[in-house]
């Protein structure tokens, strides 16, 4: 499982020209689910996302988590994070989980993050053609990869 976290001052998702969701200060998380991912990866990555200290404290140091700043979270599924670009110039998406495997894990990630953060999170629509608008704060962008996928990539 891979996630790209972007610290934002605001973000929104549009589908067919209509805004479907928006957040203020917080994180946009783009989530790519691998064919080998399961509940363990959801739990590990969910905890990491909720606890990662990438928000500034009073001294300007990245010392606060999303929960510490009461920030919002926008979770967007993005199978293209699982692109294999090692050969040629056309990405292969063979390792991206098919919807029948990915949708339940995406749903589990939503419920895991909501439990860890103690609040409802915003989401994109799985499989939809979305336009994600965001103002990256910093900019701060962090890529997280679950341990099972780190081993696979070696």
């Amino acid at each position: 499982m891979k996630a790209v976290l972007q610290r934002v001052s605001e973000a929104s998702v549009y589908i067919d020209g209509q805004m479907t969701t928006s957040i203020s200060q917080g994180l946009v998380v783009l989530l790519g689910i691998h064919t080998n991912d399961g509940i363990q990866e959801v739990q590990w990555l969910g905890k990491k996302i909720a606890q990662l200290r990438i928000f500034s404290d009073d001294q300007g140091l990245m010392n606060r988590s999303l929960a510490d700043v009461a920030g919002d979270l926008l979770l967007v599924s993005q199978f293209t994070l699982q692109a294999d670009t090692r050969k040629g110039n056309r990405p292969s998406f063979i390792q991206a989980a098919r919807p029948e495997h990915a949708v339940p894990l995406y749903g589990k990630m939503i419920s895991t993050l909501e439990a860890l953060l103690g609040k409802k999170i915003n989401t994109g629509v799985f499989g939809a053609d979305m336009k994600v608008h965001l103002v990256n704060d910093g900019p701060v962008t962090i890529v997280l990869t679950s341990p099972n996928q780190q081993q696979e990539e070696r």
Side-chain angles (χ1 to χ4, degrees):
M1 197 169 280
K2 288 184 185 176
V4 175
L5 284 64
Q6 296 182 339
R7 188 177 74 182
V8 299
S9 55
E10 63 184 70
S12 55
V13 172
Y14 288 78
I15 299 173
D16 296 328
Q18 298 292 319
M19 183 176 19
T20 60
T21 192
S22 66
I23 64 168
S24 54
Q25 178 193 23
L27 291 177
V28 170
V29 177
L30 306 174
L31 183 69
I33 301 171
H34 191 276
T35 56
N36 293 337
D37 287 335
I39 296 300
Q40 284 184 308
E41 288 72 35
V42 168
Q43 293 169 340
W44 183 89
L45 195 57
K47 186 176 178 184
K48 193 67 136 172
I49 291 167
Q51 295 178 351
L52 197 64
R53 298 184 313 173
I54 60 173
F55 292 89
S56 299
D57 63 15
D58 295 335
Q59 287 75 44
L61 301 173
M62 284 192 208
N63 218 9
R64 292 187 175 154
S65 69
L66 185 63
D68 294 335
V69 299
D72 294 328
L73 192 143
L74 172 56
L75 181 68
V76 176
S77 63
Q78 188 171 347
F79 79 93
T80 60
L81 286 176
Q82 293 298 337
D84 184 348
T85 58
R86 292 177 289 186
K87 295 180 186 174
N89 294 317
R90 185 171 156 202
S92 169
F93 300 106
I94 195 94
Q95 295 302 318
R98 305 273 313 147
E100 55 272 13
H101 180 69
V103 170
L105 291 176
Y106 181 66
K108 184 64 175 167
M109 180 62 81
I110 293 167
S111 61
T112 297
L113 288 167
E114 288 179 341
L116 289 167
L117 296 170
K119 65 193 253 183
K120 183 168 175 30
I121 68 166
N122 297 57
T123 65
V125 176
F126 190 94
D129 182 11
M130 295 173 273
K131 308 299 182 219
V132 180
H133 297 242
L134 60 91
V135 178
N136 194 321
D137 179 20
V140 174
T141 302
I142 307 285
V143 177
L144 296 176
T145 305
S146 62
N148 76 324
Q149 194 160 347
Q150 290 171 7
Q151 291 173 344
E152 212 171 271
E153 291 175 349
R154 288 185 185 150

